[in-house]
Amino acid sequence: MPKLLYASTSPYSSKVRMAALYAGIAIDLVPVKTEDKPAELTGANPLGKIPVLVLDDGRSIHDSRAITQHLNRVSKNALLPRNPDKRLDAEVLEALADGICDCALSMVYERRTRPEDMVYQPWLDRQWAKITAALDLLNANPPKLPKKITTGQIALRACLGYLSLRFAGKWEKGRSRLIRWAARFDEKFPELKPAIPG
Ligand SMILES: N[C@@H](CCC(=O)N[C@@H](CS)C(=O)NCC(=O)O)C(=O)O
């Protein structure tokens, strides 16, 4: 069975876990601590980042978007539409949700890795402005939630879970439509809830 090197708090790992659950693909979950740089991780991904999917034949796949594309192929398009325009929309939504996570993660790392007096506030502000712009856009026009969803909606749910984990009370104001969207997602797809960042 393919193995997923992951962490329960990692939004990209969550996206991949939710995608595998949704597509009905069994994967073995292997928790890793990236800060320990375990050989199992660095051997599979020289960047030392998660998630990484290690296939039965020993090949390893990263990053998370290469993994979701792989899961889509293995599941014969359970995760992305065949229609080119719809597929493009789904891929761009996934990229936007991942991009919000990139900004959020860079804020978390800025605070976590620097001594307190070296944390650079203009950098944090710059990242937060990007998150704000993306969330406002999504809140104004939340993605549809049909029975058949894509890696786009899945990535967004994982992303909002990560924001609730690390930026609780900060991202929600004025975003009631997105909050309702996440609640509706959980009602419709309760089987994916255990994989939300936490
Ligand atoms: N673009 C990558 C981002 C992966 C990433 O940044 N993962 C974080 C955890 S959420 C990580 O491994 N950080 C450890 C590090 O950067 O050393 C993806 O989509 O998989």
Side-chain angles (χ1 to χ4, degrees), residues 18 21 62:
M18 290 164 84
L21 281 169
H62 60 83

Side-chain angles (χ1 to χ4, degrees), residues 145 157 160 177-189 193:
L145 272 180
R157 183 64 193 96
L160 296 180
R177 294 183 73 193
L178 266 188
I179 293 167
R180 278 202 302 278
W181 183 89
R184 249 189 320 123
F185 185 106
D186 296 347
E187 270 165 35
K188 286 190 129 179
F189 307 102
K193 230 176 155 180

